[in-house]
Amino acid sequence: MTDPRMGGRCLVDQFVANGVERVFCVPGESYLAALDALHDTPAVDLTVARHEGGAAMMAEAHGKLTGQPGICFVTRGPGATNAASGVHVAQQDATPLIVLVGQVARRQRDRGAFQDLDISALYGGMAKWTAEVDDPHRIPELFARAVATATSGRPGPVALALPEDVLTAATERPDVRATPMQPPVPAPEAMTALRERLAAAERPIVIAGGPHWSERARAGAEKFAKANDLPLAVAFRRQDAVDNDHPCYAGELGLAPNPELAQRVRESDLVLAVGTELGDVTTGGHGLIESPGPRQTLIHVHPADACLGRVHQAALALQADPACFFDAANALAPIASPPWAGAAEAAHAAYRDWIRPLAVPGEVQLGEALAWLAERLPEDAVVTNGAGNYAAFVGRYMRFRRHGTQLAPTSGSMGYGLPAAIAAKLHAPDRPVIAFAGDGCFQMTAQEMVAAVQAGASVVVIVVNNRMHGTIRMHQEKHYPGRPVATDLHTPDFAAQARAQGAHAETVTETGQFAPAVERALAADGPTLIEVRTDPEAITPQRSLSAIRAAALGQKAGG
């Protein structure tokens, strides 16, 4: 037993015991006791967001970067519902996250009390586990379980409801540290079977990326690919799993991937998928790698057994941590004189051709600007984005060299870029952090610019403004050509708005203005916003809006 302490103090002590260094929140009266305890806990930094969705996304990004649970504190009712967008990102992206929700007092539960809400019902379809702490003595136990659950197997979000009177009640229970999980390692006989299948292949390819990735996994993947002359692709929005300049790197299997890469996967006879769940985007809607029975020999490696055999039935399924798997794979004798010799070089050459900037309509050549930025940034720079057609330019023209340099939601959540960038800059203040957003995407969480100013997070936010919801307009023109509805946007002067929030800001209307503006932003003391005004016709790196509309009208006329 320890000396008596209030539940709020006990909870914050669990943060310290479990290595929590930062908490994101929007304050609420339901958890004042915990906020008061944080006042006297310098080991835990507190970042205040302007909206619970932003706080949850910040915490999710922190979890992505560190592999440890991001911690988000929100209040009951509307606070919890606002945070749901970040919880969904964590669920889809397999990110460790703990959402702590202040709750009404126990005696008021289920009585229609002010802002009362069933947290388990709210988050039950998204979270790995939800619970309400109904006894202050159980705070250490349940928080340790939350840490273990969020980080084990397939990582994901956990939600704990904390009744107000639990946080103000006394407890003498000691602190509890979550039991560290030992990463699963592949069985030797499975590695022997893997080599036998690889030796029998003619057109193999490796697809990397997913939870529990690390610099060690990155180095192991690159070593294995080079030793066996294997093309090495990455899953959707996992571009930092592999050095994009590595001679075996083949590109990202994302939205609208390089057709040559897609064809290479389609024609492969063996796919070694490590860490990835092989979702619908990565597999081209399960067209490149069919489900449940792939055409290719599929060897699927994932740290969570629940992800093996869930959608694709593999010829060989290995439950293993990616780094441990590649340690074992690199202990195998490489395949001598493989029939696919030269495939990795050809795949990388195709990738290099793919990232050569294409001309688009308008005074701003976004591909050219981003290609310059990819060369300008250091290897450890962090690049974030949300969702929208602007992200196609980011995914195609930016390059990633190290693990932990890309924060992008596989969930396709708008508004993610800025909160994620704030979390990244607070975690690694010496590294440049660039956030990309479209004009619609940015307006989802634009208020977090004030949070960046208050926190002293010197992020660079690049808002690509084409004055519309570009992705939806593109789909409208594909399916209902010439009939746009609800996709035109009246946008503010984003630079003026950012200056009013206390940030530096500039507007770019032609390509030549982009590089000087970025240089000034990187040198600025404090956050900076650069509004880049692009032509609405420049909807994708390859096709204009008019070309998409004309093709759809032609199909309708011919159909």
Side-chain angles (χ1 to χ4, degrees):
M1 293 290 184
T2 60
D3 292 336
R5 51 185 170 170
M6 283 204 308
R9 173 77 264 166
C10 178
L11 176 65
V12 172
D13 288 346
Q14 303 323 298
F15 295 168
V16 176
N18 285 275
V20 174
E21 297 177 349
R22 183 172 301 280
V23 172
F24 301 90
C25 81
V26 173
E29 68 272 23
S30 59
Y31 64 96
L32 287 175
L35 287 173
D36 183 71
L38 284 166
H39 183 277
D40 300 322
T41 311
V44 180
D45 290 323
L46 183 65
T47 299
V48 180
R50 295 305 182 267
H51 187 274
E52 289 88 355
M57 289 179 183
M58 291 177 196
E60 190 277 346
H62 184 85
K64 263 199 184 90
L65 282 171
T66 65
Q68 299 302 310
I71 308 294
C72 175
F73 243 135
V74 299
T75 198
R76 60 206 178 204
T81 53
N82 284 344
S85 56
V87 176
H88 183 256
V89 175
Q91 189 274 329
Q92 290 259 303
D93 290 32
T95 304
L97 172 70
I98 299 176
V99 180
L100 302 169
V101 183
Q103 180 60 289
V104 299
R106 288 169 289 182
R107 66 182 181 279
Q108 297 172 335
R109 291 287 285 117
D110 302 319
R111 301 177 72 184
F114 178 65
Q115 296 186 339
D116 186 13
L117 184 65
D118 186 336
I119 302 303
S120 293
L122 173 66
Y123 293 138
M126 294 183 286
K128 289 184 70 177
W129 174 58
T130 65
E132 183 159 314
V133 185
D134 59 1
D135 184 338
H137 300 312
R138 298 193 68 194
I139 290 174
E141 169 204 340
L142 295 179
F143 186 80
R145 179 178 170 184
V147 172
T149 302
T151 54
S152 62
R154 183 190 188 274
V158 167
L160 288 182
L162 298 157
E164 187 174 355
D165 59 330
V166 168
L167 293 177
T168 56
T171 177
E172 298 177 353
R173 294 297 170 86
D175 298 334
V176 175
R177 181 174 177 80
T179 303
M181 300 292 178
Q182 294 301 313
V185 299
E189 57 271 21
M191 298 306 298
T192 300
L194 178 147
R195 191 185 184 284
E196 289 173 353
R197 284 171 167 80
L198 183 59
E202 295 184 356
R203 298 176 305 281
I205 188 168
V206 181
I207 303 175
H212 295 297
W213 206 262
S214 62
E215 270 293 293
R216 182 173 141 215
R218 178 197 63 79
E222 292 170 3
K223 181 180 179 181
F224 182 72
K226 185 174 182 181
N228 291 281
D229 201 10
L230 291 165
L232 180 55
V234 294
F236 176 46
R237 289 186 169 165
R238 305 291 189 176
Q239 289 164 271
D240 64 345
V242 174
D243 180 354
N244 295 181
D245 288 343
H246 190 274
C248 294
Y249 182 66
E252 179 206 17
L253 288 163
L255 296 166
N258 181 351
E260 290 196 32
L261 174 58
Q263 188 66 13
R264 184 175 294 278
V265 175
R266 189 178 291 110
E267 295 179 350
S268 64
D269 63 349
L270 183 144
V271 173
L272 172 58
V274 184
T276 172
E277 294 180 52
L278 294 175
D280 64 315
V281 176
T282 298
T283 60
H286 303 290
L288 303 180
I289 303 173
E290 294 177 343
S291 63
R295 297 183 304 274
Q296 307 93 335
T297 296
L298 174 61
I299 301 175
H300 197 181
V301 182
H302 199 280
D305 59 354
C307 295
L308 298 171
R310 179 186 177 198
V311 177
H312 297 86
Q313 301 306 313
L316 182 63
L318 288 78
Q319 185 185 1
D321 172 84
C324 294
F325 167 77
F326 282 116
D327 286 347
N330 283 309
L332 300 172
I335 306 300
S337 302
W340 62 83
E345 181 181 2
H348 187 65
Y351 161 73
R352 298 295 300 184
D353 287 342
W354 176 248
I355 64 173
R356 187 174 294 116
L358 301 176
V360 296
E363 295 299 316
V364 174
Q365 295 299 307
L366 192 56
E368 182 181 325
L370 297 188
W372 170 84
L373 183 60
E375 292 292 338
R376 162 64 178 81
L377 291 177
E379 291 184 7
D380 65 348
V382 179
V383 176
T384 77
N385 64 263
N389 264 38
Y390 73 91
F393 290 85
V394 177
R396 182 162 177 173
Y397 296 122
M398 294 304 296
R399 302 204 311 279
F400 300 88
R401 306 294 307 281
R402 297 186 189 176
H403 170 64
T405 57
Q406 181 184 37
L407 293 172
T410 67
S411 67
S413 179
M414 295 174 70
Y416 180 82
L418 174 56
I422 293 170
K425 192 65 178 180
L426 294 175
H427 175 67
D430 295 332
R431 297 166 63 181
V433 178
I434 311 291
F436 285 94
D439 47 312
C441 177
F442 180 68
Q443 291 182 87
M444 294 281 186
T445 53
Q447 68 279 357
E448 301 305 346
M449 282 297 294
V450 181
V453 172
Q454 182 173 344
S458 297
V459 298
V460 178
V461 183
I462 299 175
V463 179
V464 182
N465 183 8
N466 64 0
R467 299 170 297 287
M468 64 182 175
H469 284 302
T471 299
I472 310 308
R473 175 66 64 83
M474 178 186 71
H475 287 298
Q476 282 181 335
E477 297 293 3
K478 283 181 178 180
H479 301 287
Y480 305 96
R483 297 173 58 82
V485 177
T487 50
D488 288 326
L489 287 177
H490 175 78
T491 58
D493 182 333
F494 288 114
Q497 176 179 302
R499 284 191 287 269
Q501 292 172 312
H504 308 282
E506 298 192 37
T507 301
V508 168
T509 57
E510 59 183 47
T511 310
Q513 298 171 344
F514 182 81
V518 170
E519 294 290 5
R520 287 188 289 271
L522 290 171
D525 180 18
T528 299
L529 181 143
I530 302 172
E531 178 184 351
V532 181
R533 296 180 180 173
T534 61
D535 193 315
E537 282 291 312
I539 195 68
T540 77
Q542 291 178 289
R543 301 183 73 194
S544 68
L545 199 61
S546 294
I548 292 170
R549 183 187 309 117
L553 289 171
Q555 289 176 356
K556 285 182 177 292

